[in-house]
Amino acid sequence: MAKVTDHIKQSKGTLFSFEILPPSTGESIQKLFDNIAPLMEFKPKFIDVTYHREEFVYKKMPNGLLEQKSIRKRPGTVSICAALMHKYDVDTVPHIICGGFTKEETEYALIDLNFLGIDNVLALRGDCIKGQKNFEPTHGGHKFADELVSQIDSMNRGHYLSDELQNPTPTKFCIGVAGYPEKHFESPNLKTDLKYLKQKIANGADYIVTQMFFDNKKFFEFEEKCRAEGITVPIIPGLKPITAKSQISNLPRNFYIDMPDELIDAIDKCKSDDEVKNVGIEWSIAQAKELIKHKAPCLHFYSMGKATAIQQIASKLF
């Protein structure tokens, strides 16, 4: 198995990768295998597996009082990574988040990944718990992604939380982080956001994967500003094909992104989601071709549990 950065260095062209969601609780992993099987023919060098933190629900008790319960609707990130590696002989990139973990629990999770031979991680702060207005770090955990990157990098240098260990073995994680061509929604402006991104790189991150975008100009400008700030690591563009008309409102609301007028005008003319899907596929193909011409190191697709559109796009490119 290899690191994401090694795959990029060894490639003579633009690579293909994608991100998947773990199955919901109670679903079979076979459903996941069936969904991504058509994408494996395009030889992805790595597959990202998201991590979903806990949610709180309230259950009414016999006495009429409400009991708060913590649940996770999509568990299994680590085991899915191991299963994919075993079944497809492909590298996997589990997401590691700040929320829901103490520093000790983070270390234990990283040790498990290391023992499994998983050498890549994507370090993220993570979202707020549903219902919370602001991100609240776990007591004893990290508040920001740059702190999480520092802990992983420290383990790579053989520094664990306990100072009593004798000759601890360094880990060898390749650390990815998120970048936002249209800035993170909590940052006051892109300049400030780039300052935090630069700190993540300084703390040990090896590459950047961007939030989805639909205007390549936004990516090119973001990349140029990163380079001007002295950020030299690979920057991987993230893409998501539009497959339903509802997404032109859902995606901007959930991911704080803009969509070009030309794309919105084309979708508005569609009379069905099948037509929207065709528009979305053609738009993504055009984006991808321009990014390949630009020599993007990899095209990273956000599947959100559906692979059909990505399969059609990949068939035209890889």
Side-chain angles (χ1 to χ4, degrees):
M1 311 311 287
K3 297 181 178 182
V4 168
T5 49
D6 289 337
H7 284 304
I8 291 172
K9 289 175 184 176
Q10 295 163 9
S11 176
K12 296 180 180 179
T14 300
L15 302 175
F16 168 67
S17 67
F18 58 91
E19 176 184 291
I20 60 171
L21 309 177
S24 298
T25 298
E27 290 184 346
S28 167
I29 196 172
Q30 187 59 47
K31 181 178 179 180
L32 173 63
F33 290 154
D34 293 342
N35 184 48
I36 69 172
L39 299 180
M40 300 311 296
E41 67 176 284
F42 305 109
K43 303 187 185 310
K45 293 301 182 182
F46 58 93
I47 300 172
D48 276 40
V49 184
T50 60
Y51 185 93
H52 297 254
R53 66 175 303 179
E54 76 279 10
E55 296 181 18
F56 291 116
V57 297
Y58 294 89
K59 183 177 181 180
K60 191 171 184 179
M61 305 298 291
N63 60 8
L65 298 177
L66 295 177
E67 179 186 23
Q68 185 187 67
K69 284 196 166 187
S70 174
I71 63 169
R72 284 181 56 210
K73 294 183 177 180
R74 292 183 180 273
T77 297
V78 174
S79 56
I80 289 167
C81 286
L84 291 173
M85 291 170 64
H86 175 72
K87 184 174 180 65
Y88 294 112
D89 192 29
V90 64
D91 281 304
T92 53
V93 185
H95 291 192
I96 303 292
I97 64 173
C98 297
F101 289 88
T102 65
K103 294 174 186 176
E104 288 76 16
E105 289 168 336
T106 295
E107 183 171 278
Y108 301 151
L110 291 167
I111 289 171
D112 282 343
L113 294 173
N114 187 50
F115 287 163
L116 287 168
I118 296 173
D119 293 336
N120 301 284
V121 294
L122 189 69
L124 307 165
R125 187 199 69 177
D127 297 327
C128 303
I129 293 178
K130 192 174 181 180
Q132 288 182 345
K133 290 185 178 180
N134 300 305
F135 178 82
E136 297 180 10
T138 299
H139 181 70
H142 297 298
K143 186 176 182 180
F144 299 111
D146 67 317
E147 300 171 352
L148 176 57
V149 171
S150 289
Q151 181 176 3
I152 303 169
D153 181 66
S154 291
M155 291 179 65
N156 281 348
R157 290 182 284 111
H159 302 313
Y160 290 70
L161 294 176
S162 173
D163 56 7
E164 299 178 358
L165 300 178
Q166 299 294 320
N167 300 317
T169 302
T171 54
K172 50 182 180 178
F173 291 111
C174 178
I175 308 169
V177 292
Y180 299 84
E182 300 174 63
K183 87 173 184 62
H184 190 279
F185 74 98
E186 293 179 7
S187 289
N189 53 44
L190 184 57
K191 182 177 180 180
T192 303
D193 203 29
L194 287 174
K195 180 181 74 173
Y196 295 130
L197 177 58
K198 188 174 181 179
Q199 187 60 54
K200 289 189 282 189
I201 305 304
N203 288 7
D206 298 294
Y207 70 97
I208 298 165
V209 180
T210 76
Q211 174 65 281
M212 68 181 74
F213 58 90
F214 293 89
D215 184 348
N216 283 355
K217 183 179 178 181
K218 298 281 182 70
F219 174 79
F220 297 144
E221 290 175 349
F222 171 76
E223 184 183 53
E224 183 178 349
K225 289 178 179 179
C226 284
R227 301 312 185 207
E229 288 291 328
I231 296 172
T232 60
V233 301
I235 303 175
I236 298 173
L239 301 175
K240 165 74 176 79
I242 298 291
T243 56
K245 185 168 285 192
S246 60
Q247 290 176 337
I248 65 174
S249 58
N250 292 341
L251 293 178
R253 181 174 63 247
N254 294 332
F255 297 98
Y256 305 93
I257 54 175
D258 289 332
M259 292 187 178
D261 292 339
E262 185 182 349
L263 175 59
I264 298 301
D265 290 343
I267 291 174
D268 281 341
K269 295 175 183 177
C270 295
K271 296 179 181 180
S272 68
D273 277 346
D274 284 339
E275 291 183 14
V276 172
K277 184 177 178 182
N278 290 334
V279 168
I281 288 172
E282 290 304 315
W283 187 274
S284 283
I285 290 173
Q287 271 194 281
K289 286 182 176 179
E290 186 177 28
L291 289 165
I292 291 172
K293 185 178 180 180
H294 181 70
K295 301 188 184 303
C298 178
L299 299 182
H300 188 68
F301 289 89
Y302 295 106
S303 73
M304 295 186 176
K306 298 178 181 179
T308 305
I310 297 174
Q311 179 190 14
Q312 294 180 48
I313 295 166
S315 69
K316 302 291 186 181
L317 303 169
F318 298 101

